[in-house]
Amino acid sequence: EPSSRGIFPPPCRSPRGVLEAMARGESRGRDRSRSRSRRQESRSASPNKDAQRHRKPDDYGVDTMKITDDDAAFILGKGGKTKEKISRVSEAEIELFERDLILEIRGSKLQRRRAKKYCEGVMAQRTGPVTVTEDYDDGDLTMLQVPQEAVGFVTGRAGNFLRTIEEEWCTLMFFCEVGTGRNRDYEKLAIFGSVRGRRGAELKVLSAVETKVPGYYKKIQDEVVNRDKGKDETGSWGTDTMTFQDDELSYALGKQGGTRKKLERSSGAIVQYVGHVSFFSGTRQVRKKAKEYMKWLFDQLEGPVYVDGWEDRDDCAVVNVPSDCIGYITGNRRATLGQMEEEWGVLMFFMNKQEDKGKGRGSEMLIIFGDQRARRGAELKVMNGIEKKAPGSFTRGVREKISDVKGFDTDRMVLKDEELSYAIGKEAATQKKLEMAAGAVLQFVGNVAYIAGTLKERRRCKEFISWLLQQMRGSVTIADLSRRDDATEMHIPANCKGWVTGNRGSELRRMEQETGVYMFMALDSRGEERLIIFSADAGSKSSPRGRMAAERLVNELIQEKLRDDGRGRSDSRSPPRSPSRRNSRPQSRSPKRRSPERRRSDSRRRSPRRSPSRTGRGRR
């Protein structure tokens, strides 16, 4: 059946029912935004977004497609994910008007053409195999023959394996027919996307095929290795290979593929294993890095490794680790180093010259390979560990530093003891929240906050820290947000504020953790309180992260409270959700929060003479 071969499972209800259910969230969001004029008026302007709108290509335009109910359900996908995926791969803006059954596509001529092509491919899967003709290739297509006995393995149950690859490599994939007739021994897999995305997806599929049909790669070796050679902006795109023995392969792969992923992220190249062959795909520079990292990895099996000329390299950083801290930084069986490598996508190992082996030294050099941001993040994490074990190693005599460099740099802030614990939070939750919302690297080394990133990211992170510390002492006043592009204002009805913030800000903290934002109640220039959501990531209609996702969660809480108070239709808000939608709420919330009686009884027991630090709604 088409659904078992494609990547989009059939609707479980009638197409009209599926379409209405999926689109209801989007239309409700539009109705809500239109009806709340006060919220829209107060929301901050977004200069960056306006600038982006004006930087449209010369051939920017709009195309429309008339579709059917059945097609609309497939185009939209579960929660709008398929539409979002097509938009992401084609780089076009796509809007589905469910009542008129019209698909609107905006972008350059090439973007519109690709988006239309992808939509047609998705819709064709509903009735049978997709037919791909020669004019389908706009420089965005890779065709891969998959042996018939491996098709089910590659597709996965209900297309799950293909969907996983699509998500990882930002591609669109489906099995298809080419021209007329079908080859019973093979099926053609069409992979749409960028050169890098298509290559990553192709090698992932080949790796799975080789597992199911050993020796298949040898038949198509030349075609695979030479594919898309020089077809990138630098003109140096290509693929290098390396063959391993059985024991070498398991070492190069690592536990659950951890070593392969580490090499891939740190070098910037695509690293994949097909049978016993290792592929390195990318520009000439990143392929060279990946092969060097692989060589050093195997050299460690023979003895100490030292990278000659590391001082002149632009892809590494070195930290001198005191001898008594090495075990603490490395961890049991390298567990701590491995966690840092996974967190930051870097390659780390201790460097020693062969002649220094066995000599007692006061410290050893830990070298960190990766891109600039990742290296700095891992380096600061190591410094944090050393400072805990040997206080003063990095903070003795250190002062605050503010850089005016627009590019990547590091600022320092010195905090007091009581401020430090508040800024870090339980299990570093507050630190991670500020770091993610600001888009910067934030690490505390002793009492010093190291903030790394671009000038804009560093300034944003310092603002967040200053507002956080103000919350320790009382309310925060932020008079004007009109010039910010990282904030969303929401005016919460008075009877909903306690419900939205939760006990000592527990609901705000939950929503922050789920969406990666920083949010708190703040006063405006008139002394009126409103909720502000901060994040460098604006999010999207279907994304679970960013400001839009946080705004949706807040609106859900408001609607729930208004329904519980018998005011669901007042204030021109959207109609109450059905019981099935209410039951689909995230399970992370405590069952106690669903009982308004329990919630109100708790509020009555509160003491009117609480200290600001215990009652502030915006507390971390």
Side-chain angles (χ1 to χ4, degrees):
E1 295 180 5
S3 60
S4 64
R5 305 259 301 285
I7 57 173
F8 306 101
C12 58
R13 294 176 283 174
S14 68
R16 170 67 75 176
V18 173
L19 174 62
E20 291 177 351
M22 290 175 178
R24 195 174 295 129
E26 292 188 15
S27 61
R28 180 171 296 163
R30 285 196 296 271
D31 294 341
R32 203 181 293 149
S33 63
R34 287 169 185 157
S35 62
R36 296 179 186 175
S37 58
R38 182 183 182 188
R39 192 186 75 191
Q40 276 202 334
E41 288 171 4
S42 62
R43 181 164 308 167
S44 59
S46 179
N48 277 8
K49 289 182 180 178
D50 292 338
Q52 288 174 4
R53 289 195 195 100
H54 291 124
R55 286 198 298 267
K56 293 175 181 176
D58 295 335
D59 57 350
Y60 184 90
V62 182
D63 289 342
T64 58
M65 291 176 63
K66 184 71 176 175
I67 57 178
T68 65
D69 279 1
D70 297 349
D71 291 336
F74 267 67
I75 290 291
L76 196 58
K78 185 178 180 180
K81 287 185 177 179
T82 304
K83 179 171 73 73
E84 190 80 11
K85 176 169 57 182
I86 294 173
S87 176
R88 191 170 60 247
V89 177
S90 65
E91 298 180 337
E93 304 167 36
I94 301 177
E95 188 68 39
L96 174 62
F97 297 96
E98 63 274 7
R99 292 183 180 178
D100 300 325
L101 293 176
I102 291 177
L103 200 64
E104 187 176 271
I105 303 170
R106 298 173 179 270
S108 67
K109 185 176 181 180
L110 181 60
Q111 290 168 345
R112 298 196 309 272
R113 174 180 164 82
R114 288 177 175 175
K116 189 174 181 181
K117 177 176 62 179
Y118 301 161
C119 290
E120 289 171 347
V122 169
M123 293 186 293
Q125 289 184 85
R126 188 175 55 81
T127 55
V130 183
T131 300
V132 174
T133 56
E134 291 182 359
D135 62 348
Y136 251 69
D137 190 1
D138 295 313
D140 63 340
L141 173 63
T142 293
M143 297 294 293
L144 179 65
Q145 282 197 127
V146 178
Q148 192 66 245
E149 57 265 43
V151 170
F153 185 67
V154 167
T155 304
R157 187 175 181 179
N160 281 336
F161 185 63
L162 283 186
R163 278 199 294 273
T164 301
I165 299 175
E166 286 180 326
E167 188 71 25
E168 179 181 358
W169 291 104
C170 191
T171 56
L172 185 68
M173 308 166 65
F174 45 76
F175 284 97
C176 61
E177 288 183 348
V178 180
T180 58
R182 297 181 65 185
N183 188 329
R184 293 185 178 181
D185 297 330
Y186 300 95
E187 292 216 20
K188 285 278 189 178
L189 178 64
I191 307 173
F192 295 96
S194 64
V195 171
R196 179 179 176 83
R198 297 199 312 272
R199 190 53 163 172
E202 178 190 12
L203 293 179
K204 187 88 170 180
V205 170
L206 269 179
S207 180
V209 170
E210 190 70 15
T211 303
K212 193 72 174 176
V213 187
Y216 175 68
Y217 161 69
K218 286 290 183 183
K219 300 178 182 179
I220 57 172
Q221 179 176 351
D222 292 339
E223 177 189 350
V224 172
V225 172
N226 295 318
R227 197 188 309 276
D228 292 329
K229 193 171 184 179
K231 292 185 179 180
D232 71 323
E233 294 177 355
T234 67
S236 63
W237 180 273
T239 300
D240 296 334
T241 61
M242 190 182 294
T243 304
F244 294 119
Q245 301 300 320
D246 287 341
D247 55 340
E248 294 175 332
L249 180 63
S250 60
Y251 180 72
L253 187 60
K255 186 179 180 181
Q256 297 180 336
T259 303
R260 180 194 68 79
K261 294 174 185 174
K262 173 172 65 180
L263 291 172
E264 185 173 72
R265 292 179 65 190
S266 58
S267 66
I270 298 169
V271 180
Q272 187 58 262
Y273 306 133
V274 178
H276 286 72
V277 179
S278 174
F279 283 78
F280 305 95
S281 292
T283 63
R284 185 178 294 108
Q285 184 181 18
V286 299
R287 296 199 310 271
K288 180 182 177 182
K289 287 180 184 178
K291 288 186 289 184
E292 284 179 328
Y293 298 171
M294 183 72 79
K295 176 182 178 297
W296 292 327
L297 195 69
F298 278 95
D299 286 348
Q300 292 178 67
L301 296 174
E302 308 297 328
V305 176
Y306 186 83
V307 180
D308 291 316
W310 64 264
E311 301 93 339
D312 300 323
R313 298 183 66 102
D314 63 355
D315 63 339
C316 68
V318 170
V319 182
N320 285 301
V321 181
S323 298
D324 56 349
C325 297
I326 291 175
Y328 182 73
I329 295 299
T330 306
N332 183 30
R333 301 185 67 179
R334 208 177 177 277
T336 306
L337 270 187
Q339 288 175 357
M340 286 189 278
E341 288 178 327
E342 184 176 356
E343 178 184 357
W344 290 102
V346 295
L347 172 68
M348 308 168 69
F349 56 85
F350 283 96
M351 283 197 307
N352 284 296
K353 292 183 178 179
Q354 191 71 34
E355 55 268 26
D356 293 336
K357 187 178 179 180
K359 294 181 180 180
R361 300 182 62 184
S363 64
E364 288 193 23
M365 290 188 292
L366 178 66
I367 193 164
I368 305 169
F369 290 97
D371 65 43
Q372 188 177 37
R373 185 177 295 266
R375 289 198 313 270
R376 190 55 171 156
E379 181 183 5
L380 291 173
K381 186 81 172 180
V382 172
M383 291 166 58
N384 169 274
I386 295 173
E387 188 69 21
K388 287 179 180 177
K389 192 72 175 175
S393 298
F394 295 103
T395 58
R396 190 175 293 113
V398 169
R399 298 180 180 180
E400 292 198 350
K401 171 200 166 189
I402 299 177
S403 170
D404 56 0
V405 175
K406 289 187 177 180
F408 193 89
D409 204 352
T410 305
D411 290 349
R412 293 191 297 262
M413 289 179 67
V414 179
L415 277 65
K416 300 176 183 177
D417 289 341
E418 64 272 17
E419 294 175 334
L420 180 66
S421 59
Y422 193 81
I424 294 176
K426 185 179 180 181
E427 297 178 355
T430 305
Q431 173 189 335
K432 293 174 184 175
K433 169 181 71 181
L434 297 178
E435 181 178 56
M436 186 170 294
V441 177
L442 173 63
Q443 186 59 257
F444 294 95
V445 180
N447 279 40
V448 182
Y450 284 78
I451 304 165
T454 63
L455 180 62
K456 188 174 183 179
E457 292 166 347
R458 298 194 307 270
R459 284 178 175 174
R460 182 189 294 128
C461 191
K462 285 183 286 187
E463 282 180 323
F464 290 176
I465 293 174
S466 66
W467 289 330
L468 183 79
L469 298 180
Q470 285 180 47
Q471 291 174 259
M472 289 178 60
R473 305 172 183 92
S475 58
V476 180
T477 299
I478 304 177
D480 184 24
L481 293 171
S482 60
R483 295 184 178 276
R484 300 190 70 98
D485 62 352
D486 60 352
T488 298
E489 273 184 310
M490 295 187 71
H491 288 269
I492 312 297
N495 64 321
C496 298
K497 287 182 180 178
W499 185 260
V500 169
T501 57
N503 183 26
R504 301 181 66 187
S506 59
E507 281 301 310
L508 291 185
R509 302 295 81 78
R510 174 184 68 83
M511 291 185 284
E512 285 176 334
Q513 188 173 12
E514 287 184 20
T515 59
V517 302
Y518 174 40
M519 55 202 297
F520 57 90
M521 303 295 290
L523 303 177
D524 61 17
S525 57
R526 297 172 294 180
E528 294 182 2
E529 195 175 43
R530 81 281 202 211
L531 178 66
I532 308 179
I533 304 171
F534 288 101
S535 177
D537 178 14
S540 65
K541 289 182 179 179
S542 60
S543 173
R545 312 286 287 180
R547 299 198 306 274
M548 289 183 71
E551 186 179 6
R552 285 195 298 270
L553 292 180
V554 172
N555 279 326
E556 285 180 10
L557 285 175
I558 293 173
Q559 294 304 311
E560 182 178 318
K561 176 62 175 172
L562 292 176
R563 280 197 313 276
D564 290 341
D565 288 351
R567 297 175 53 196
R569 296 293 289 184
S570 64
D571 287 324
S572 68
R573 287 181 170 86
S574 59
R577 292 173 291 174
S578 65
S580 62
R581 284 181 63 83
R582 182 168 184 173
N583 292 338
S584 67
R585 288 208 39 171
Q587 296 300 311
S588 58
R589 292 189 63 215
S590 168
K592 292 182 180 179
R593 292 284 290 110
R594 294 185 180 176
S595 169
E597 292 77 18
R598 176 76 57 87
R599 175 78 184 118
R600 286 194 289 269
S601 64
D602 286 344
S603 64
R604 283 197 295 268
R605 286 197 295 268
R606 290 175 180 162
S607 169
R609 291 185 291 180
R610 296 169 293 180
S611 63
S613 62
R614 291 183 59 82
T615 61
R617 294 191 183 95
R619 187 177 177 185
R620 64 188 173 97

